[in-house]
Amino acid sequence: MKPPNYLYHSLALLWLYSGMISLHYQDIGIDLLAHMGFHHQFSLWLLYGASCLDILFAILIMTKLRQTPLLWLIQLICVITYNVLIFVFLPKTLLIEQLIHPFAPIMKNLPIMAMLLYLYQYHQTT
């Protein structure tokens, strides 16, 4: 059974929103990266690079390239990498704060990773 279009559209919207909001509210991202030990100039490069990558993912999902398994694998690796960086570099007090946050910003990555894995596996078999 073919995945419903709303799966693709919701992931594209999430990536687009993530990239755009990170660019618009740079201070929040820079502050988070500073807590992780990254210097300001490098933080800017990381923030712009990650934001552009997120926006690129959104665009690619809305093209025929969404049928390419590699696109889904790269997104999955990206989300895993973001999480590993948070778990490794964010000070423990801030990490715990994020983990017990009532809106569950980190835990929401689990179903996202599950969708990306599903789409990767689906497009490998088609």
Side-chain angles (χ1 to χ4, degrees), residues 15 53 56-57 60 68-81 116 120:
W15 282 119
L53 183 61
L56 179 63
F57 284 152
L60 293 175
T68 307
L70 186 59
L71 175 62
W72 302 105
L73 181 61
I74 292 170
Q75 289 174 76
L76 180 59
I77 291 169
C78 184
V79 174
I80 291 169
T81 301
L116 294 171
Y120 168 68

Side-chain angles (χ1 to χ4, degrees), residues 2-68:
K2 181 180 174 188
N5 280 331
Y6 62 77
L7 253 181
Y8 298 109
H9 296 161
S10 64
L11 285 168
L13 182 59
L14 177 65
W15 282 119
L16 181 63
Y17 179 81
S18 177
M20 297 298 288
I21 207 76
S22 294
L23 289 174
H24 191 266
Y25 294 102
Q26 292 178 23
D27 294 345
I28 296 170
I30 296 298
D31 187 49
L32 181 65
L33 290 167
H35 284 297
M36 296 170 73
F38 297 105
H39 298 290
H40 182 74
Q41 192 61 35
F42 188 63
S43 294
L44 282 173
W45 281 97
L46 284 175
L47 183 76
Y48 292 145
S51 296
C52 290
L53 183 61
D54 290 358
I55 293 167
L56 179 63
F57 284 152
I59 292 167
L60 293 175
I61 290 170
M62 298 309 292
T63 70
K64 289 185 178 190
L65 287 175
R66 73 176 174 202
Q67 298 171 9
T68 307

Side-chain angles (χ1 to χ4, degrees), residues 57-109:
F57 284 152
I59 292 167
L60 293 175
I61 290 170
M62 298 309 292
T63 70
K64 289 185 178 190
L65 287 175
R66 73 176 174 202
Q67 298 171 9
T68 307
L70 186 59
L71 175 62
W72 302 105
L73 181 61
I74 292 170
Q75 289 174 76
L76 180 59
I77 291 169
C78 184
V79 174
I80 291 169
T81 301
Y82 287 166
N83 281 286
V84 167
L85 290 172
I86 288 168
F87 276 91
V88 171
F89 292 108
L90 196 63
K92 297 303 173 210
T93 53
L94 292 175
L95 176 61
I96 291 168
E97 188 178 297
Q98 291 296 308
L99 288 171
I100 64 172
H101 193 284
F103 298 144
I106 293 175
M107 294 305 293
K108 287 179 181 167
N109 287 329

Side-chain angles (χ1 to χ4, degrees), residues 3 69 72-73 76 114-126:
W72 302 105
L73 181 61
L76 180 59
M115 282 193 290
L116 294 171
L117 180 59
Y118 165 75
L119 290 167
Y120 168 68
Q121 291 173 333
Y122 173 80
H123 287 289
Q124 262 192 323
T125 61
T126 57

